[in-house]
Amino acid sequence: MTTSTKTILTAAHWGPMLVETDGEQVFSSTGALASVHPNSLQSAVRDQVHSKTRVRWPMVRKGFLTSPDKPQGVRGQDEYVRVSWEEALDLIHAQHQRIRASHGPAAIFAGSYGWRSNGILHKAATLLQRYMSQAGGYTGHLGDYSTGAAQVIMPYVVGSNEVYQQQTSWPLVLEHSEVVVLWSANPLNTLKIAWNASDEQGIGFFEQLKQSGKRLICIDPMRSETAAFLEDSAEWVAPHMGSDVALMLGIAHTLVENGWHDRAFLDSCTHGYDIFERYLTGRDDGVAKNAEWAAAICGVSGDKISELADIFRHHRTMLMAGWGMQRQQYGEQKHWMLITLAAMLGQIGLPGGGFGLSYHFANGGNPTRRAAVPASMQGRVAGGSDAVERIPVARIVEALENPGGVYQHNGETRQFPDIRMVWWAGGGNFTHHQDTNRLIAAWQKPELVVISECFWTAAAKHADIVLPITTSFERNDLTMTGDYSQQHLVPMKQVVAPQFGARNDFDVFASLAERLEQGGRERFTEGRDEMAWLNYFYDVARKQGEARGVALPEFSAFWAANQIVEMPEDENSARFVRFGDFRADPQGHPLKTPSGKIEIYSERIAAYGYADCPPHPRWLAPDEWHGNAREGQLQLLSSHPAHRLHSQLNYAQLRERYAVAGREPVTLHPIDAAARGIADGDVVRVWNQRGQVLAGAQVTADIKPGVICIHEGGWPDLAPEAGNLCRHGAVNVLTLDIPTSRLANGCAANSSLVWLEKYQGPEMPVRAFDPPATA
Ligand SMILES: Nc1nc2c(c(=O)[nH]1)N[C@H]1C(S)=C(S)[C@@H](COP(=O)(O)OP(=O)(O)OC[C@H]3O[C@@H](n4cnc5c(=O)[nH]c(N)nc54)[C@H](O)[C@@H]3O)O[C@H]1N2
Ligand SMILES: Nc1nc2c(c(=O)[nH]1)N[C@H]1C(S)=C(S)[C@@H](COP(=O)(O)OP(=O)(O)OC[C@H]3O[C@@H](n4cnc5c(=O)[nH]c(N)nc54)[C@H](O)[C@@H]3O)O[C@H]1N2
Ligand SMILES: [Mo]
């Protein structure tokens, strides 16, 4: 390193970082907070900025450029032509206006779901929507992929979404909980990131839990990184995928059989338990959902199920649930039944008891600070239009396939808009959406697809117009850490100049806004440039700080100091008990449900009459699972990856830590490997009626026989000349694109069956990370 080397403070979803640079090259990066558990993602800045897979210049697909009003050729199988920024923006403007004039604002899909980069100003999808609000409106989206089912059912059950809310504080868990259950949760992986920057406190709490001597149980078809981290201090219980409701019912029935359920709590704090109990005990259908019944479905022994009931009943038990199990067909039932079980145990609202749906995400449970929080960019200009239409986020392909189609969503009858133009900025829909081949077919329908990207992702390779965007290291921004804790305020200073022809999303949309109307740029920017916006947002925090006794310096001093600002602790937060007030006084602090109580039976859901979302939690067998697998079929798990955020950083050197045979790893049990003559490290072909992928075998007893895992987020690399075989192992080539139910219409990726064999075909080099030849 030369003497001109500087250290710049910035932050990503994966936490505050210090980046070494000479102003042109990034040399290295590390975490800026002291941490005993270094976060691998923090090492990747150099790879992000200097990746060979960066989009360098604006590019237009050849068949589009020839006749933009009537595009030719096939998206995904065409060449790209370099154009100037002015040409690209003029072309977008003209086609956008043409489509809007002929088909109206609902024909423009700008839902653009995705994890972009963090920061309060350079929010890609928000900026896209801000521009579209100025243009006259657009179709947006409802919900997300993360908690599609849970976030919709929870308000019916407890009156709040629970998945994005602060949890009973960790100090109380460490003090009071005797048993902690990680149910479908893998915090060691998933706490590496947050929607803002991670405050990095969560894993430290799990470390303390590990040392505490408390009883810890992981309920997961895979012995996850977290189970491995907890070592001998945790027990691993492995149900078949998708069978948790049966397992929970078995535990619940054991409680009733023994008179262990908390009648007093059920009476004072819940609604509809008796109706549910008729189902549980089989009074109406003659089937008692007892431990033996459950064992036959979930593959956990009846004795173990009874033992779990005994342990939970006789100890202060915290059920910490993750979200993988609700990303499944009938996903709504999972957390509804979990809360029903917690209600029967009667510990909801006690310190260290009950349930929590966000200990594995964004460091939930790390107490909220007395914080001064900056404002952030809004997705609507003054006087601009809101979304004129919205579709459930994971129903995008159905919407493209079936314009005008009528569907049910959360008690409403709705209609899909006729989408003619799609713009994605800050999302990886070709990695995040299910059933890639079906997506690619639907993707041919719009008249214009624009992708704003830093990298040549599969979505970019299937676009008409690709715009090169800066990474967050090529611009200035600001962020808080901790979605719940708001622990730190961090300046995100520009590290290097924009690479090649890359521009900020903000500048791209400002330039397009200028084309919309006289004074359009000023309306979009409100006359502020990057630093003026940051100053403006910061001043909101400063003002809030004054009211809360948190003194912040003036913006110029804050920016010049280049330091993390830590917010003061708040004693009350450290003693926060979720549902504590409600439990103490259910009348005085009712929940926002119709009865004011926890709804184990919902009249509102009953009124919808959805067979796929009954009015109390119920075991429903999915279309694809262990119970109807044909000989040789395996259940496919697509957990979230350790060394990337979804598809982000897949191209980075970090890949060497996990790739097997140069591809995505597929975890499988020795029994399943032996039955197919597969050895660790072999290239295997995984397929079903939807598609086929190559992957590298990782043979280990840390997964339940009959289940295989390919992590989500691997970049698709389809070979049209070989039956669209994905050479790299992108899991969504294989997953099922159906709604969780008509209630939530969430993503159900974790309900898929596949076949697997040793690959014996011709060599297939991976090209996922190569830019198109003509780029
Ligand atoms: N099978 C299966 N599929 C899943 C899941 C699963 O469990 N199983 N999980 C689902 C879940 S929970 C989620 S949240 C989704 C995640 O899906 P996404 O959030 O869409 O995934 P990311 O890979 O984070 O995509 C973000 C993209 O934004 C780009 N980007 C980053 N910064 C910027 C910027 O400043 N400007 C612009 N224009 N672009 C930028 C990145 O290069 C990247 O391509 O995946 C879902 N898909
Ligand atoms: N490092 C890293 N962290 C991340 C992300 C990332 O991509 N990388 N993504 C972030 C995002 S957007 C989200 S939404 C969260 C996701 O958080 P989660 O949805 O909780 O993460 P998953 O890995 O999908 O699932 C968690 C666990 O559920 C288990 N599981 C799956 N199906 C079943 C089942 O049927 N029964 C049981 N009992 N267990 C099951 C999986 O094996 C896994 O260990 O993570 C966030 N954190
Ligand atoms: Mo997510």
Side-chain angles (χ1 to χ4, degrees), residues 90-102:
D90 285 343
L91 190 56
I92 293 174
H93 175 71
Q95 291 306 316
H96 174 195
Q97 292 305 101
R98 178 185 65 77
I99 295 169
R100 184 176 289 273
S102 347

Side-chain angles (χ1 to χ4, degrees), residues 113 115 144-147 164 323 327 361 640 646:
Y113 176 82
W115 270 72
D144 62 30
Y145 281 80
S146 315
T147 61
Y164 303 127
W323 306 332
R327 224 170 280 116
F361 184 74
H640 286 232
H646 314 298

Side-chain angles (χ1 to χ4, degrees), residues 183 239-240 242-253 279-280 289-300 305 333-334 337 618-621 625:
W183 207 313
H240 296 304
S243 69
D244 297 85
V245 170
L247 172 56
M248 294 176 207
L249 284 165
I251 298 170
H253 193 280
Y279 164 74
L280 180 67
K289 315 304 178 295
N290 58 24
E292 290 309 319
W293 170 88
I297 293 171
C298 71
V300 175
I305 295 172
Q333 306 303 309
K334 311 298 162 78
M337 185 56 218
R618 232 185 141 88
W619 158 246
L620 298 167
W625 76 296

Side-chain angles (χ1 to χ4, degrees), residues 259-277:
W260 288 341
H261 55 313
D262 189 332
R263 231 13 279 199
F265 182 84
L266 290 168
D267 286 344
S268 60
C269 293
T270 72
H271 169 81
Y273 171 74
D274 291 335
I275 304 174
F276 167 76
E277 200 192 77

Side-chain angles (χ1 to χ4, degrees), residues 113-117 122 124 144-147 323 327 424-429 431-434 452-455 457 469-472 475 505 638-640 645-648 651 712-713 715 731-732 735 747 749-750:
Y113 176 82
W115 270 72
R116 55 173 171 88
S117 298
H122 295 289
D144 62 30
Y145 281 80
S146 315
T147 61
W323 306 332
R327 224 170 280 116
W424 232 283
N429 62 309
T431 42
H432 77 219
H433 194 69
Q434 289 56 65
S452 302
E453 255 299 345
C454 323
F455 304 97
T457 60
I469 304 298
T470 52
T471 66
S472 61
R475 58 201 188 204
D505 294 290
S638 48
S639 315
H640 286 232
L645 170 60
H646 314 298
S647 74
Q648 296 193 53
Y651 52 80
E712 60 103 10
W715 286 26
V731 74
N732 276 324
T735 54
C747 160
N750 277 331

Side-chain angles (χ1 to χ4, degrees), residues 14-31:
W14 34 96
M17 293 183 293
L18 295 170
V19 184
E20 299 285 344
T21 178
D22 62 2
E24 275 181 32
Q25 292 288 313
V26 172
F27 300 121
S28 65
S29 51
T30 54

Side-chain angles (χ1 to χ4, degrees), residues 547-570:
R548 295 187 176 176
V550 182
L552 291 181
E554 275 200 47
F555 178 74
S556 54
F558 161 77
W559 195 255
N562 198 26
Q563 296 287 330
I564 297 177
V565 176
E566 181 156 9
M567 301 295 163
E569 289 180 14
D570 175 354

Side-chain angles (χ1 to χ4, degrees), residues 26-41:
V26 172
F27 300 121
S28 65
S29 51
T30 54
L33 297 174
S35 173
V36 259
H37 297 281
N39 184 336
S40 58
L41 278 55

